[in-house]
Amino acid sequence: MNDVQPAPRQGQGPAHYVGGRFDDSGARFPLVSPADGTVIGSVPEADSVTVDRAVRAAREALAGPWGDTTAEERCAVLRRIADGMEARFEEFVAAEVADTGKPASLARSVDIPRGIANFRAYADLAWGRPEQSFATPTPDGAGALNYTVRRPLGVVAVVSPWNLPLLLLTWKVAPALAAGNAVVAKPSELTPSTATLLAEVMDEVGVPAGAFNLVHGFGENSAGAFLTAHPDVDAVAFTGESATGTAIMRATAERLAPVSFELGGKNAGIVFADADFEAAVEGTVRSSFTNAGQVCLCTERVYVERGIYDDFVQAVAERTRELRLGLPYEDDTQMGPLVSALHRDKVLGYYRLATEEGAKIHAGGGVPAFGDERDGGFFVEPTVLTGLGQDARVVREEIFGPVCHIAPFDDEAEAVRLANDSPYGLAATVWTTSLSRAHRVAPRLHSGVVWVNCWNLRDLRTPFGGVKASGIGREGGEHSLDFFSEPVNVCVKL
Ligand code: NAD
């Protein structure tokens, strides 16, 4: 039986949101704190009936008031959502921290502000979009007026991961709504809480019923698979593992639904001998260990010019050993736990494999012993490795933990070759003080984004996505609005 609750609903834990109503239906599974391993709540798992109801609610919204909104009205809705999130900022922080175990300072400075900024940015971008039209009425033209209108895709599924839960969900939900689609979102089973708060905000600020729907559950044989395989879902925007992207592509292939995929990475950092040494060390530590290495953009492979290699390895290892691991609300915490016991075991498996493959460990390599409640959490040590060849699994496979492998190179061509020698191509970082070198190297890297002397410096208007196994398509700015709409050419004979 469905336990349908009247809105408004505030802070009662994860629930589905279907057709403007909160709904706790389905078997429940536990929500576990990564910081100490305790059970902190439970989550309802949507079955195929609930997913079907969500898709139907979205379809009905398109046929109802939501489908009739003007761009201006939709932008106003997005701004109201941002305001509503702002008003509950600390609740969002607390929910994100509880689900992920990440430092509260990180949730406060990155996850939640960016989640809010996504709505504001896409309100501005959608409103600022120029209409295209051109006429050729003169004798040398074809005597026609051509213009382009953009239509929404329809019902869009948004499936998102656990590492930056609110940020990555809203990154797709905001442009999808701005472009006039109706959304059914499925956040990660590990991080359902901020998505539920977002549904509460949508409810509070009067987003028309069915424009945004939320279902919880797992991927395979669960809500994720039911949603992406649903015949009435017009497009899928997905962020997660490359292997999941393959599974979703199979599920959508039959009906040829468009997909936008932001997938895994095995990102390279290249440090030239002429780099600002301190900035490169600090930047490498930040790019490898932010969010315990659980950012798709994190650097797991570092290539350093031989002249500074030994000093660089030593400096990064020292800085890594100094990182303070701790609970989310401790002021001096720089790194939290991994998201789950399963993920911790996967990362520790790679630490063991590194030793088996012959790596030298310069920092970390195991599990920290705290002697307090943190020992129940899913902490691993930030780890610095050297000594492996390009064929080692630890150098080829995405680990998605706080670990980097550092290897030397002799010249620019070798650095580019090593960086490009990967099945992935999401992000790369180049550290050099030579302007010419930076501009020479950056476009030769097979990567969706290349940072020069910085890492994860983001402008939401720029194209974002990966090449090779790191993704299909680009999001960000106009690119998101392009994906979430179809251009229609109208040709009027004059
Ligand atoms: P995941 O692929 O395991 O899960 C992501 C989402 O997909 C979850 O909601 C999950 O329930 C769902 N899912 C899983 N199997 C499914 C299936 N068969 N059908 C439909 N849905 C399914 O990824 P994760 O472990 O949550 O996230 C970590 C991964 O995400 C890493 O590989 C990381 O690199 C990647 N990532 C990429 C980006 C990017 O922008 N490129 C950003 C963040 C994370």
Side-chain angles (χ1 to χ4, degrees), residues 3 194 271 447 463:
D3 174 19
T194 46
V271 183
S447 179

Side-chain angles (χ1 to χ4, degrees), residues 222-414:
S222 183
F226 301 147
L227 178 60
T228 51
H230 196 291
D232 205 28
V233 166
D234 295 304
V236 178
F238 167 72
T239 301
E241 282 186 24
S242 302
T244 311
T246 304
I248 292 177
M249 200 158 207
R250 279 204 189 94
T252 52
E254 193 68 32
R255 62 186 197 282
L256 296 170
V259 294
S260 179
F261 283 171
E262 295 182 336
L263 307 176
K266 186 76 184 176
N267 308 304
I270 302 177
V271 183
F272 288 99
D274 63 14
D276 175 334
F277 188 84
E278 261 310 300
V281 169
E282 197 277 327
T284 299
V285 170
R286 202 167 74 80
S287 75
S288 294
F289 304 124
T290 293
N291 204 34
Q294 302 168 119
V295 181
C296 55
L297 306 165
C298 275
T299 305
E300 291 191 0
R301 297 181 294 139
V302 186
Y303 300 103
V304 182
E305 197 162 351
R306 200 173 297 275
I308 58 165
Y309 176 75
D310 289 335
D311 290 346
F312 190 86
V313 171
Q314 198 188 334
V316 167
E318 263 169 31
R319 215 62 64 81
T320 303
R321 283 192 294 267
E322 285 163 14
L323 288 173
R324 288 183 300 276
L325 276 61
L327 295 173
Y329 289 101
E330 288 167 352
D331 284 342
D332 60 351
T333 294
Q334 291 173 306
M335 204 184 102
L338 297 179
V339 75
S340 67
L342 197 68
H343 191 52
R344 178 210 40 207
D345 294 346
K346 175 186 154 184
V347 171
L348 287 177
Y350 276 106
Y351 286 7
R352 277 192 298 276
L353 180 64
T355 311
E356 285 160 28
E357 289 186 315
K360 181 168 177 205
I361 298 176
H362 295 261
V367 176
F370 298 106
D372 56 34
E373 82 246 52
R374 289 173 293 180
D375 289 336
F378 310 133
F379 289 87
V380 299
E381 290 173 328
T383 295
V384 177
L385 307 167
T386 61
L388 297 177
Q390 284 290 107
D391 291 337
R393 281 183 54 203
V394 167
V395 173
R396 297 207 79 72
E397 298 174 13
E398 181 186 47
I399 301 172
F400 214 55
V403 53
C404 67
H405 177 266
I406 313 182
F409 68 84
D410 287 307
D411 59 28
E412 198 175 296
E414 188 189 15

Side-chain angles (χ1 to χ4, degrees), residues 159-163 168 186-189 217-220 224-225 228 238-241 244 247-248 262-265 296 398 400 426 464 470:
V159 180
S160 53
W162 47 257
N163 60 327
L168 291 170
K186 209 296 282 173
S188 168
E189 55 275 22
F218 301 87
E220 213 177 337
T228 51
F238 167 72
T239 301
E241 282 186 24
T244 311
I248 292 177
E262 295 182 336
L263 307 176
C296 55
E398 181 186 47
F400 214 55
L426 186 58
F464 183 83
S470 289

